Amino acid sequence: MYTELHARSAFSFLAGASLPEELASVCAEREMDAMAVLDRDGMYGAPRFYMAARKSNVRALIGAEVTSEEGWRYPLLVESRKGYQNICRLITSMKLRAKKGEGQISRAELVAHLENDGGGLICLTGGDEGPLAHALASGGMEAAMSSVQQLCELFGRRNVYVELQRHYCRDEEVCNQCALEIARKVNLPVLATNGVCHALPEQRELLDVFSCVRHHRTLATAGRLLARNAERHLKSGAEMQKLFADLPEAIANTQVLASRLQFALNDLGYQFPIYPVPDGRSQMQFLRDRTHDGMLARYGADNERARKQIAHELDVIEKLDLAGYFLIVWDIIRFCGQQNILVQGRGSAANSAVCYALGITAVDPVGMELLFERFLSEERGEWPDIDLDLPSGNQRERAIQYVYERYGKLGAAMTANVITYRGRSAAREIGKAFAFDPEVLNRLTSLVGAWEYKDANDTLERQFQDAGLDLQHPQIRKFCELCLRFQDLPRHLGQHSGGMVVCQGQLDSVVPLEPATMPGRVVVQWDKDDCADMGIVKVDLLGLGMMAVLEDSLKIIRDDYGEEVDLSRLPANDEQVYKTLQKADTVGMFQIESRAQMSCLPRLHPVCFYDIVVQVAIIRPGPIVGQMVNPYLKRRQGREPVTCLHPSLEPVLARTLGVPLFQEQLLRMAMMAAGFSGGEAEELRRAFGFKRSERRMKDVELKLRRGMDKNGINGETQETIIRSITSFALYGFPESHAASFALIAYASAYLKCHYLAAFTAAMLNNQPMGFYQPPSLVTDAQRHGLRVRPIDITCSNWLCTLEKIDEKFAVRLGLRYVKGLRAEIGAEIVREREARPFSSVDDLKRRIPRIQKGELAVLAEVGALNRLGNQRGFHRRSALWQVERTARSAGPLYEFCDDVEKNDVEEIMSTGGAKKSGEENYDLGGSPLAQMSAEERLVADYRGTGMTVGPHPMAYHRAELQKMGIRSAAELAGLPDGMQVRIAGGVIARQRPGTAKGFVFLSMEDETGIANAIISPQLFEECHVVVVHQQFLMIEGQLQNQDNVVSVKSQRIRPLIITSAPTTSHDFH
Amino acid sequence: MSFAAIHIPDFIVQAVVRGEVALRERAVAIVEGTPPLWSVVAANRRAAQVGIELGMAKSQAAQFTGVEIRHRSPTQEKTTHEALLDLGWSVSPRAEDSAPDTIVLDLAGLSGLFGTEEKIAHELAKRGFVLGLSARIAVAENIEVAILAARGLPGVTLIPPGEEAERLRALPVHTLLPAPEILETLTRWGVETYGRLAALPVIQLSERLGQEGVRLHTLARGALVRSLALAKPSDNFQEEMELDDSVEELESLSFVLGRLLDQLCERLAARSLSARSIRMEFELERSFEKGLQLSAHADQHKLLPRKFEKILALPVPMRDSKLLLKLARLRLQSDPPPAAVLKIALSAEADRVRTTQHGLFLPASPEPEKLELTMARLANLVGDANVGSPQLMDTHRPDAIRMERFRLAQEAVGGRRKKLIALREKPVGKNSSAARMAKPANGFRLLRPSAPARVELRDGLPTRVFFHGVRGEIVAASGPWRTSGEWWQDPWDQAEWDVEVRFSSSAQKNKRSSNSPSNPSLNPGSERGLYLIYYDLRQQGWFLRGMYD
């Protein structure tokens, strides 16, 4: 029998071509009971290999190929936990002192880590990249012998195996013969391996392309960097025995060595940090005390239900020994509170009354009857998952740095994010290897995956054909085939946006750490799923743009309005908020601003907080695909009777009118109808979750059916329940999560309704975020009566600020919206201006010499320099005229001499702008240039700031549009359903959602509001170019005006020439 | 003194339309780029009207119905430009080649021949139309005014002296062809016409746009005066002849070739130049059968060889027409045109005359003409691809070489040869095992192409081999050594064996007596030999690659 002890997975990043799961499954097919994966300089693929191997009843042996300073790679196999810890530390040490993606181990480091006994590691002499082959090539037999002896000294004689690989290659066999001679002389065991780089022979093609990517070559120029043949696949025992028929001991030794490697990844030795508790109390007692305090504050002393729920939860927490975990999360929350950082727990944590009491979450799970088991259960034996939303940007970074400080550099790290090849990146890399022209590549990659929805014809093949690639050509066909095979293969390691793992003591002995691109950040080699699989606790510190908006809004309100708003004490049922929501006037509001949400809001007609929770959850693929949206809305409007799938489910479904909308409801349905326990129900959710497996789903479904049979639920009802559960589980929102988001949605709505200026400024200062682009946010705010002032160098700060005009607040746009203006120049402008106002363009340039001509020109073009003219009639073009001269150095002699122009200006002023001989009229701005027309100003505004604070481009043409019979967006609501209408506007969003069967949704804006148009797949096919490329459209069609939801079913689409301003839209979600 | 500027608007489109008259009234977009990224680089007015924009992808442009899409043709542009010059020279010997799409003629003294300036202008327009050019013509006393007017105003324009600024006033500034950054500044200023630019105060303009601004200002006022830069005759010498009847025999072709070469060489000699290369282009007659195929498979139209081209790359510049004719004949003997010839075009790439002696004390180099003649004769015998210096290629593919052009050592750049020699003579380290391992144990005689063989196997091992009519027992075998690759275009997959073969004595006798034409070096008559055989997995057959010495 043979065991493969030297294989690389695709997690060797460009040096292996198969996923760990593929290796494990092929290993099982080849009837090998164990296999070792040695990824390059890391344990990247180890957890996935371990998990996959466990399922296939294969023993996963772990190791790594570690790069030496001399250029060879030590193939190291882990024998024991000590060995595992050593190799993790070794890799961490070499990685942390090198740049990202690099690192080499020195002999001294090896000596230091391995002590005298090999440190629980077995070293092989390696294949063509190993120390033996390296020594042979550079110094012949003598060097090779010396190299092997050095390995024996380092790792101990009993821990070194002379490795033999046979890939039907003459040179390799020469090395093998030398290795055999050395093994005989030194009396070391020989070991056969196949130096596996891919599971199946045909994957050699992927490996060749990877080699090209790694060496920046093309397939045509890579030459001998490519594989010599396709023999580095996972071979069966019989094949290997035949290959090594002359050396049976080399095969037999694989079994001997495999039996020595007793380490498995479930034996990591990971420990969660112990929270330092004062007064010698236990962690649990301390948690009970903190929770009790919180309970009194949140629920008061006489809420029996809450007391009972909290007591139950605390018992479970104690049983699972998770007190430390809760305390650590509580500690982060406390830190944020002290530092005035807005924070809120989301996800399943909101199901826990303990989390609510500790201030981790803001949703009352007792009041909302949320299911605790969705968060934590005794049966699952998993760490709970707590996600904390923080304001994106600096505030979140402060929280992350706090965790680093608290647990030390080797005690905390970010989780990794494995960047895998997707359609676009695969096409790009493979195209490069095929030596396609860079422009071709750009064209190709821009075509791949532009739309979410793929209709029957929208295959990768068709995309290639559209790009002019002939799929009959064998090379193009191969390219296309490889693009498909590249999907999901890892490319490199990134950093997860907020996942942090912490450890009691040395995290680097649990998993190797490496530096992230961002300075000061350390990343573990596993992603968050791997960490969860390996039982490592993670806390997600996620950045949420809206949290930053809320925080900034509160600050602006405090500074400008002089009021203090406490988000936790907002009026619960603010009438204005609900009126606004009912009208779907929600641009800028968290989670309820999209076109789909807007089309649902008037029908749902929210009147209380729970309605917002439903609103947040209902526009999700789960309810849409499960066809639950319409039944719910109809029932809510009283157009359909409220019935329940089964009488036993009434308590579960009653508050959502008999329609399951939340994940918790599905779990409770399983509990009520099929008698599942809380843990079993959660298992069900996971079975149908993101990493779904057919077998697991079938098992659970069978269990569900059995349970329901037992409870007497069968026939059509049973089928309906099964269908709701299966179609819904993956894409549904948990109620707790929806409730957390609904709180933020309510807060954003409240601030928008009552503090529009502050909210708008905060929104504009945190772009990009949300569904709408800044111009639409500005237009919407203007429609609500807010005055937005243009950028002005004499008063604009870098960020948008508030100004008071006639006792009303207006937003002054910030310099950050000047395209091309560097932030440091913006800061310098503000600093200099505070010292002394600028007197002219020349003064500005003199005091900020680093400002470039392009920056000055854009400032002038958008009118930001208009107030520097010091004279009547100084306009944008006057400033541009000045800028052009200022930007050209006049030389030291004339630097401060503006006399020529000043004299000119004086002359003009004295003659009242009279005609100068042979030249056109000077205007009074001191430049011979004509003032910009309205259209020119519009173009300049959009070009320089991406928006205008003046009238909407459509407003200039309203009279003509009316003559053409075009209705404004605001008019539509008053027109009858079914009427033939003509609408027009600037496209602000184009969507083709995956759930809409190829329909395209357009949001078109004019000065009165936003109109929605629906385009059928057929019409889209006909007008593809116009719909995709034209920014202003005129659409004719039938008005659909039902339940205050207004849209136009398009029949005819025409481009509309309104302006040449470069307006933008948010496309293809 | 007056000047006439002739401008071809939409030059890129017109260059293509000129060869396809049917397109004159259609919307035409010209695309350029590397497949599949073709983007629109030019479009006529009709195409622009239906929505075609420059920079648009070909696939996008194709979605507009009624738009004809053609690929850009530099050759057609070149010939159109030459036609434009011809148009000018047909009227005036003093012509300026201002731009690919514009020329200027000095009209001084032409009135006697053609009449008034207006008549000359209309005559030019008429002649242009005959040549397939739709030209804009402007006559003015000032060269630049004439050019700008032709560029900006349609039809024929005559600008009387003193009216220049007024007539140019409304033209858009981009027709002044300013640098992109200046055009951007002017656009920002809202200066869109010559009139607006001319109205700006020139001193202040110079403070902002420098001397280039002043130049543009002067241009816009129609006040820039300069003299005509007469067009120089081209360095590309071309002679072509269309034959009344198609010619098939090489002898008859040689006669025509000789005449053309004589003319070419005369022209070269007059300017003290020689030819670095001669391009021979033959337009071929299309056979009746092929014509039928064409109608059936319109797509193949482009694939059929309507033109046949040969390039005589000369090792040194030369202009001996007799020698060139010999070389041309040899080249055509080894690879004659596949069909009868209708038209011959010869073009010479001109170069300075060869230096035969590089220094006073250096002997004259051997005559490269003779070497080239010898190489051509060899190529005639063994084929073009089999002459030159073989170079090893960086690939695992066994036997992969490419032939590089053989060059005399003197041709190498000075000093490089020494360096090569130095590299070759560099002593190899005694202990360098890399060198030791890389060094082959034996010499190896390679069969090219490999000879088919028959091999008998037992338990997967070769036991007997048959090749070149002899049979041998395999007494020892090492292998298989497998290589495969180039799966993306021209895949190979082979398993090699090094075998020791013992030939039977009868086979040897038969071999000696049979006078077989097989390669004697592979069967030296000894009883044993070391051979390399391989099994080609794609061809499913055994081959003999060669023999170890």
Side-chain angles (χ1 to χ4, degrees), chain A residues 197-270:
Chain A
C197 295
H198 40 93
L200 302 166
E202 56 269 25
Q203 287 171 331
R204 168 261 177 101
E205 295 175 359
L206 302 178
L207 188 69
D208 277 351
V209 176
F210 277 154
S211 299
C212 291
V213 177
R214 208 168 71 234
H215 295 285
H216 308 291
R217 299 281 187 93
T218 66
L219 283 165
T221 60
R224 284 164 296 169
L225 292 169
L226 304 181
R228 180 185 286 271
N229 53 37
E231 295 297 327
R232 284 183 175 271
H233 62 275
L234 189 54
K235 289 180 179 161
S236 67
E239 281 175 284
M240 290 301 286
Q241 270 169 342
K242 197 173 157 197
L243 256 180
F244 287 89
D246 55 331
L247 294 163
E249 72 273 25
I251 296 289
N253 281 341
T254 62
Q255 291 280 289
V256 177
L257 179 53
S259 66
R260 272 181 67 184
L261 308 176
Q262 284 307 312
F263 175 75
L265 264 188
N266 57 356
D267 182 27
L268 282 178
Y270 169 77

Side-chain angles (χ1 to χ4, degrees), chain A residues 136 443 467 888 901 904 1025, chain B residues 36-37 63 188 204 208 433:
Chain A
L136 256 178
R443 176 108 197 94
R888 264 179 189 258
E901 297 233 337
D904 285 350
V1025 176
Chain B
L37 187 74
Q63 289 170 16
R188 276 188 163 141
Q204 293 179 29
R208 286 158 178 84
S433 81

